Amino acid sequence: MADVEAELRKELLDAFSGADYPVNNQMDLVPALPNGPSTTFEAGGQSFTAMELATKLSSRAEFPYDDAESLVDDVIAGLKDEGDL
C-alpha cells in the first residue's frame, strides 16, 4: 500500500503544483488539471477522477491551501479515512 500511496501522491503533486496558490476552493484547482474535472489519477489498480476526489473529500478540505503539499496531504489522509487507500 505504501507504494500505491507514494505513486498517487506523486501524481497529485504533479497535477496540483501548477495551480495558482493560494487556492480558495476546488474550482481554483481546475485550471491546473490537464483534463479539468475529468483528469484521472491512477495508482495500484485504483483510479479516481478529480471530480470523484472533490466529491469524496469536500467535507474534509480545509481551504485555503497555500501549496500543493498541504493540499495533497489532506487528499491522501481523506482517502485513507474513507478506506480507499
Side-chain angles (χ1 to χ4, degrees):
M1 235 356 147
D3 291 339
V4 172
E5 179 181 336
E7 185 179 339
L8 185 58
R9 181 178 294 276
K10 182 183 180 326
E11 283 187 49
L12 292 167
L13 282 171
D14 287 348
F16 294 133
S17 290
D20 187 18
Y21 289 90
V23 293
N24 296 308
N25 57 55
Q26 293 174 347
M27 293 308 295
D28 288 349
L29 296 167
V30 173
L33 300 173
N35 295 318
S38 299
T39 299
T40 302
F41 301 98
E42 297 180 12
Q46 293 181 308
S47 176
F48 306 96
T49 65
M51 184 62 84
E52 288 172 323
L53 290 176
T55 300
K56 280 182 171 279
L57 306 171
S58 62
S59 64
R60 299 175 190 279
E62 296 186 16
F63 288 97
Y65 287 97
D66 292 325
D67 54 60
E69 291 80 14
S70 57
L71 170 66
V72 171
D73 286 346
D74 280 358
V75 171
I76 295 293
L79 288 172
K80 286 180 174 180
D81 288 348
E82 292 287 318
D84 291 321
L85 188 63

